[in-house]
């Protein structure tokens, strides 16, 4: 082992053409002895670099580098994968964050250094495969090589003597080998039959490598031209969604994405159904989510269609796909200000904090007068007091819904800029206290239908009812079938290159002293190893069919 | 049978399988200790394959496998000096194999019971406990099936120890009562995707063991006696490891790069999310691609290829254990119940 001599061109499973340029001396030195050793012209240097790049060893090292480079992206939260986690991590690690940011470690898979590795790998692959295509093309049309002089010197060989004429034996050998789909050497072949099979192994190998390029093209199309976005849609005929960028809560378009390519459609959610497990070890778990949606392919909506949107069953509209990926509760809250006018009313999306759907949300009644009113608090779908007297929720189903809110009064948007609808800026507002107990913050614990008057003539808050919302992911992924086709081809090629055995077989029949001496030998060029069986089977077949 | 009794059957079958695996391990240890003093003659590709019956009873005709041939030859050449020990070793070797077969059958019963215990019935690989149960089953069953074909008798103590340890970990720490699948897992892709991942994991584990033994043997050199002297020659080990890996790699490709993305596209809307689990599955794929590549690259065959195979196995197991327990961002975190929040109707 560990010999550095170049292997035969078809040795291993990935047998690439071996390169001879692994030593320090480049090609071309010997041609012009007047130059100092190691000195290369620009052209030679380029050629030398090209050979280095396309050598098997470089390909292997690049492959391992790619694996290594992918590691940090799985350990450090990626902003492209989970932006919330990434920003939380950045807040928690103030010293590391600037360094990591410089290295692009929050977006590993689109950094230049990650790109450099796979681009080099692809160049190396192309540089290796293209010359091999030529070699393979020539090899495909070539005759199987003539039988070596000393067949019995090959490690897998056998011989026997027979009374038959040599020609009869050879004719039979030809028939048997042809039946086994060997290619037989045509023309004068002396006293031997030369045959070869397994040409598809190298084809498989080439297909495997070339289809990787297909996969990359498909993948690139998806990430450059496509987009992915999410939106929370409240269940009910009043809410809905129109497919334009402004309607998305978050939109992650590829860098070549064009708005004009978005499919025009609208939909709204008629009903959302969840099955809750009430017994068993997973009691409290939700399953069987079903969202009955109505959608129209155009914006004018004359031809409405219905679809049951479920997990694992996306809806396809044109080239866009719609996925159900989350759900939660939106308590309908109405805030009346001190003058009795409705300052805020509608379903308010509360974000679930854990598997029990204990949820957090805010209300901003910025139209309220004299002062803006803000509510911030939590939602319990099935409110109970636990053994220690703490409020909690039994499960995610809304069997006993309750909201528990703190109240703020004052300017809720002192900066005047855009704000998250899920967070309340209380820096310029003051918390409303319980009447009669100025040290205790006022807490509104309300069940549906309840109305509570706020102190100091601020107004009132009504908890009307609870509706649900769905989080819907919408995406357009061009090139996905190209990528899939590429991977399938890749697998087919791989199977060919791993399991097709390129094999040469020779049969020689010569008249000797005691009759006709028949020699059988085989050479497995993949180093696969069951050649002894091939020889044995062929010898047996030759003898059996004698009759 | 009710769901409850199926679950009970499954638990008892796991226990029974564990006990029988342990007995099999003891039988093989007795085998090796009996053969310790026996110097295997022939010295080429020696292996004390007690299972492939005695030469006299060996089935005639071509088996065609050089590994088996080599083993048979080695046995033929074994000197008769310590015949008694040899005989005892062979007896216990056969007993160990028989016990392993029985344990594998019990293991299978445990899996079937697990699937039948769920309502509705389902495939038994919905959580880490079940995945470990299935994965170890594949390792053990592959060993039993390939035992003859690849002459794996030398591997018995390794496989049995590994399977026992994994089963213990599964029962002690990973156990979860039978439950319904979460919504996202409720797809026929669970059958196709996970079964191929389990098959490949089992194959890579067996291949990794072979490569580890290759490295140990390459380091210690040829021994006169003891366990290593009965392990096949380096070339044969290399060949066995290659055969196992070349089965595992296409299956892994199918699991990670075809069925995985298709399912991810259906459930999560994009076929490749750079989710930590996906990234590590890709890393494993690249490392094993490197392994196959290395065997064609001068200077990388043998030892370096074996090291790569072990690196591949390490990434594989890190993906299974590490990502499930340490990664908070992975959508594949089945280890702890993830919140059913806005991000995760699908886990």
């Amino acid at each position: 082992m560990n010999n550095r001599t170049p292997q035969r061109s078809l040795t291993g499973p990935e047998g690439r053409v071996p390169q001879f340029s692994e030593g320090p001396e480049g090609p071309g030195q010997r041609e012009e002895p007047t130059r100092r050793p190691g000195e290369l012209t620009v052209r030679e240097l380029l050629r030398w670099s090209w050979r280095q790049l396309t050598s098997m060893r470089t390909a292997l090292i690049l492959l391992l580098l790619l694996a290594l480079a992918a590691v940090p992206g799985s350990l450090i939260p990626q902003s492209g994968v989970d932006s919330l986690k990434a920003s939380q991590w950045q807040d928690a690690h103030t010293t590391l964050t600037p360094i990591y940011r410089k290295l692009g470690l929050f977006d590993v898979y689109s950094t230049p250094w990650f790109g450099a590795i796979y681009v080099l790998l692809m160049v190396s692959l192309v540089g290796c495969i293209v010359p091999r295509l030529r070699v393979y093309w020539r090899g495909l049309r070539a005759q199987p090589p003539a039988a070596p002089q000393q067949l019995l010197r090959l490690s897998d060989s056998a011989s026997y003597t027979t009374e038959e004429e040599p020609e009869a034996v050879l004719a039979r050998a030809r028939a048997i080998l042809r039946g086994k789909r060997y290619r037989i050497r045509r023309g004068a072949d002396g006293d031997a039959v030369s045959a070869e099979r397994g040409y598809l192994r190298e084809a498989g190998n080439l297909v495997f490598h070339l289809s990787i390029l297909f996969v990359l093209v498909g993948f690139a199309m998806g990430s450059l031209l496509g987009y992915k976005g999410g939106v929370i849609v409240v269940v009910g005929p009043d809410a809905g969604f129109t497919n334009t960028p402004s309607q998305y809560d978050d939109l992650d378009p590829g860098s070549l994405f064009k708005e004009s390519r978005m499919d025009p459609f609208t939909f709204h959610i008629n009903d959302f159904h969840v099955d809750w497990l009430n017994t068993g070890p997973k009691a409290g778990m939700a399953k069987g989510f079903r969202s009955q949606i109505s959608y129209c392919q155009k914006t004018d909506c004359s031809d409405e269609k219905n679809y049951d949107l479920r997990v694992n069953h996306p809806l396809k509209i044109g080239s866009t796909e719609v996925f159900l990926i989350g759900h939660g509760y939106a308590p309908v809250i109405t805030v009346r200000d001190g003058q009795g006018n409705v300052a805020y009313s509608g379903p308010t999306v509360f974000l679930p904090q854990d598997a029990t759907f204990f949820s957090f949300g805010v209300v901003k009644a910025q139209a309220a007068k004299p002062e803006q009113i803000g509510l911030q608090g939590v939602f319990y779908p099935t409110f109970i007091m636990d053994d220690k007297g703490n409020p909690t929720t039994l499960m995610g189903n809304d069997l006993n819904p309750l909201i528990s809110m703190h109240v703020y009064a004052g300017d809720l948007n002192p900066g005047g800029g855009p704000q998250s609808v899920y967070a309340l800026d209380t820096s310029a507002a003051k918390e409303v206290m319980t009447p009669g107990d100025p040290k205790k913050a006022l807490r509104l614990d309300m069940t549906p239908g309840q109305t509570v008057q706020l102190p100091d003539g601020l107004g009132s808050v009504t908890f009307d009812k609870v509706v649900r919302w769905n989080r819907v992911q919408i995406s357009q992924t061009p090139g996905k079938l190209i990528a899939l086709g590429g991977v399938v081809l890749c697998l087919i090629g791989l199977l060919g290159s791993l399991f097709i055995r390129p094999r040469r077989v020779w049969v020689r029949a010569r008249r000797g002293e005691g009759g006709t001496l028949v020699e059988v030998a085989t050479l497995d060029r993949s180093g696969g190893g069951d050649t002894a069986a091939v020889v044995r089977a062929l010898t047996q077949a030759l003898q059996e069919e004698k009759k | 049978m009710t769901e409850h009794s199926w679950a009970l059957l499954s638990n008892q079958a796991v226990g029974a399988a564990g006990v029988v695996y342990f007995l099999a391990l003891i039988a093989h240890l007795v085998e090796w200790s009996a053969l310790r003093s026996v110097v295997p003659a022939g010295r080429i590709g020696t292996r004390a394959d007690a299972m492939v019956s005695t030469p006299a009873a060996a089935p005639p005709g071509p088996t065609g496998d050089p590994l088996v041939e080599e083993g048979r030859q080695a046995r033929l050449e074994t000197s008769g000096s310590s015949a008694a020990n040899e005989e005892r070793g062979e007896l216990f070797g056969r007993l160990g194999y028989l016990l392993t077969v029985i344990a594998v059958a019990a293991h299978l019963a445990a899996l079937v019971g697990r699937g039948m215990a769920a309502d509705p019935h389902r495939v038994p690989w919905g959580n880490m406990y079940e995945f470990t149960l299935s994965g170890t089953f594949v390792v053990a069953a592959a060993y039993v099936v390939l035992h003859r074909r690849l002459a794996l008798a030398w591997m018995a103590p390794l496989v049995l120890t590994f399977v026992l340890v994994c089963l213990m970990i599964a029962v002690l720490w990973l156990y979860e009562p039978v439950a319904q699948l979460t919504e996202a897992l409720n797809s026929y892709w669970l059958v196709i995707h996970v079964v191929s991942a389990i098959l490949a994991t089992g194959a890579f584990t067996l291949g990794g063991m072979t490569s580890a033994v290759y490295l140990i043997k390459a380091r210690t050199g040829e021994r006169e006696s003891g366990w290593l002297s009965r392990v096949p020659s380096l070339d044969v080990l290399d060949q066995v490891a290659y055969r196992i890996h070349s089965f595992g790699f296409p299956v892994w490709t199918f699991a990670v790069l075809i069925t995985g993305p298709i399912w991810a596209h259906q459930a999560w809307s994009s076929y490749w999310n750079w989710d930590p689990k996906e990234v590590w599955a890709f890393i494993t794929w690249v490392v094993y691609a490197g392994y196959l590549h290395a065997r064609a690259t001068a200077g990388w065959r043998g030892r370096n290829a074996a090291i790569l195979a072990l690196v591949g196995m390490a990434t594989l197991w890190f993906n299974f254990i590490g990502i499930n327990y340490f990664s908070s961002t992975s959508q594949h975190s089945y280890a702890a119940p993830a919140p059913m929040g806005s991000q995760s109707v699908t886990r």
Side-chain angles (χ1 to χ4, degrees), chain A residues 510-527:
Chain A
R510 255 190 304 230
R511 199 153 310 180
E513 287 158 19
T516 303
L517 176 69
V518 183
E519 297 168 338
V520 179
T522 183
L523 190 65
D524 189 324
R525 299 166 72 205
S526 67

Side-chain angles (χ1 to χ4, degrees), chain A residues 282 285-287, chain B residues 180-186 334 345 347:
Chain A
K282 290 245 170 112
M285 186 178 90
K287 70 171 291 156
Chain B
Q180 291 202 19
L181 289 177
T182 53
E183 187 67 8
L185 289 183
N186 193 5
Y334 305 108
V345 166
R347 270 186 260 173

